[in-house]
Amino acid sequence: MSKAKAYSAASATSPLAFTTIERRDPTDTDVAIEILFCGVCHSDLHQVRNEWSGVMPTVYPCIPGHEILGRVTKVGSAVTKFKAGDIAAVGCLVDSDGSCPACKAGEEQFCPNPTLTYNFPDKHLGGVTYGGYSESVVVDERFVLRVPENLDPAGAAPLLCAGITTYSPLHHWGVTKGQKVGIVGLGGLGHMGVKFAHALGAHTVVFTTSPNKVEDAKRLGADEVVISKDAKEMAKHAFSFDFILDAVSADHDINAYLPLLGRDSHMVLVGAPEKPMAISSFNLILGRKSLSGSMIGGIKETQEMLDFCGEHNITSDVEVIPIQKINEAYERLIKSDVKYRFSIDMASLKSE
C-alpha cells in the first residue's frame, strides 16, 4: 500500500480538511493514476453533508470526487489498454458485478451491485472507497477511460459526470440533426446539454428563468433562448419539440414544458429535485408523450462520449481552483455562483 494526500470531511458539519489515506498496490488488472484535475459535482456536496442519508448515508471520513482526470503511473501485468504516461479518466463507477443483465448490456450504471468511486464498500482495503479529492487513485482497467489528447484536462474532468449525464439521454433517445431540442436550466449539467445538442446538429432552445443568461446560452450553442416565466413566449413553442432535457435540480413545474412536446416525443429528467413532482396526465396523454429519467452512462457509452468530445473539441466551462478553496467553492455552489463547474487543480495538494 501507499500513502496519498487528500481532503476529507470528518462529519456532516465539518469542513473538508487535509488528511492522508492509503491506496492499494495495483493488482494485475489495475491502473494507478496520478490525479491532475478533479471536477466538483453537486452530489459531492450532498454526500459530504449527508443530505442523502435516507438513500445513501455517508460514511466518514468521506473523500468525494468522481470526475477524475490524471496520468497513468503504473499498470498491472494483465493491463492491455493503458501504459505509464497515458492521460486517463475515472468517473462515478470503479467496479460492478459484471454478470448481471445490465453489465452484460454495457450499462454498468444500472448494476444492482456497483462500487461507486467514493462512499461505497471497498472490497480491497475494507471500509469505503475514497474519491478524487486526492493525489492518486487505483482502479480496475475495466473502469478506466481514455482521454483524447486535444482536450484541455481541467475542462475534460467534469465530462466524467456532467458530460455523460447529459450525453447519455441525448444519445439513447437518438437526438440528431434537424430535430428541435430543449434544454431546461443552464447550470453545470444544462450547459453541457447545450453543447452536445448543438454538436449533434439539433436546433437547440434553452429555457431559463434568468434573462442575464441569454447571451451566455447563445455563446454555448443555443439557437434560441426562452425565458420560462414568460407564458406568451412559452406558448409560441407548443407541440414543437422532439426532445426536452430537464437539467434543473430545484423544485419547478414540469407541466410548463410537457405541452411543448410534439407527438411521440420525450422529456427526460437528469436533475433531481428534492420534492416529488405533480404531473398532469393529460400533458402526456395528449400526443402520446413520454416522461423518463436518466443517470450517467455505462463505460462503453462514456468512452463514446469522450471520443465525441475529442472530435468536436467539447469540454466543460470551468473555474479552476486549488484544493484549499474547496469549502468556499461548496458555498458558492449552493448559490449557483460558478460558470459552470469547478475543477480542482490537484497540484495544489503538493503544498500541504
Side-chain angles (χ1 to χ4, degrees):
M1 291 187 291
S2 60
K3 294 286 187 181
K5 296 178 179 180
Y7 261 56
S8 72
S11 73
T13 56
S14 301
L16 287 151
F18 175 74
T19 189
T20 58
I21 59 173
E22 291 184 340
R23 292 298 194 188
R24 71 178 186 265
D25 293 328
T27 67
D28 289 347
T29 60
D30 280 339
V31 176
I33 298 170
E34 173 195 4
I35 300 174
L36 302 177
F37 291 93
C38 185
V40 178
C41 181
H42 208 114
S43 61
D44 295 343
L45 187 154
H46 289 308
Q47 197 76 71
V48 162
R49 299 186 177 181
N50 201 25
E51 293 174 352
W52 290 341
S53 58
V55 179
M56 196 182 299
T58 304
V59 178
Y60 297 96
C62 175
I63 298 173
H66 57 211
E67 298 180 337
I68 299 168
L69 186 143
R71 181 180 293 107
V72 175
T73 57
K74 187 177 180 181
V75 299
S77 60
V79 171
T80 59
K81 297 179 182 177
F82 298 92
K83 65 182 185 304
D86 288 346
I87 299 299
V90 178
C92 302
L93 295 165
V94 292
D95 206 355
S96 68
D97 63 29
S99 60
C100 69
C103 286
K104 290 180 178 179
E107 296 190 325
E108 296 89 351
Q109 75 273 30
F110 300 124
C111 175
N113 303 296
T115 301
L116 301 190
T117 307
Y118 65 91
N119 199 55
F120 252 60
D122 186 337
K123 69 181 183 182
H124 297 277
L125 298 179
V128 295
T129 51
Y130 292 144
Y133 293 13
S134 58
E135 62 183 350
S136 65
V137 69
V138 180
V139 179
D140 188 284
E141 178 186 28
R142 294 178 299 132
F143 291 85
V144 181
L145 297 136
R146 300 182 306 278
V147 179
E149 294 181 359
N150 62 304
L151 296 182
D152 169 66
L159 297 177
L160 278 301
C161 180
I164 187 58
T165 295
T166 48
Y167 176 88
S168 182
L170 292 167
H171 177 241
H172 179 77
W173 273 275
V175 168
T176 190
K177 185 177 181 179
Q179 291 188 328
K180 185 176 179 181
V181 171
I183 307 294
V184 183
L186 193 67
L189 291 178
H191 95 287
M192 291 304 310
V194 175
K195 291 188 177 191
F196 284 133
H198 175 76
L200 287 165
H203 181 86
T204 305
V205 181
V206 167
F207 294 97
T208 178
T209 59
S210 305
N212 61 2
K213 289 187 175 182
V214 172
E215 185 177 337
D216 219 28
K218 291 183 177 179
R219 175 185 66 83
L220 292 165
D223 297 289
E224 297 181 61
V225 184
V226 176
I227 305 304
S228 55
K229 292 182 288 188
D230 188 329
K232 288 185 178 179
E233 285 300 307
M234 294 287 281
K236 290 179 182 178
H237 292 272
F239 309 112
S240 67
F241 281 88
D242 297 289
F243 185 90
I244 296 176
L245 183 72
D246 188 336
V248 176
S249 293
D251 292 327
H252 62 293
D253 183 13
I254 63 171
N255 292 291
Y257 302 97
L258 291 172
L260 308 185
L261 288 171
R263 176 172 53 87
D264 288 330
S265 294
H266 310 280
M267 181 169 178
V268 180
L269 307 179
V270 292
E274 182 180 352
K275 297 178 182 178
M277 293 179 169
I279 300 169
S280 168
S281 59
F282 284 101
N283 281 334
L284 297 175
I285 291 170
L286 299 175
R288 199 165 53 200
K289 304 162 187 175
S290 68
L291 174 66
S292 57
S294 181
M295 60 176 280
I296 56 171
I299 299 302
K300 179 181 178 182
E301 187 176 48
T302 305
Q303 187 62 63
E304 289 175 2
M305 178 272 302
L306 287 170
D307 294 341
F308 182 86
C309 288
E311 293 169 12
H312 296 271
N313 199 28
I314 293 174
T315 55
S316 180
D317 282 25
V318 297
E319 179 179 336
V320 178
I321 61 169
I323 189 69
Q324 291 81 6
K325 288 191 175 182
I326 187 59
N327 294 300
E328 176 188 332
Y330 275 17
E331 294 306 312
R332 288 179 56 194
L333 195 59
I334 293 170
K335 301 172 185 175
S336 299
D337 179 24
V338 59
K339 287 186 176 180
Y340 283 92
R341 296 290 265 207
F342 289 112
S343 185
I344 307 169
D345 183 350
M346 300 312 299
S348 58
L349 259 180
K350 298 182 187 302
S351 64
E352 294 283 0

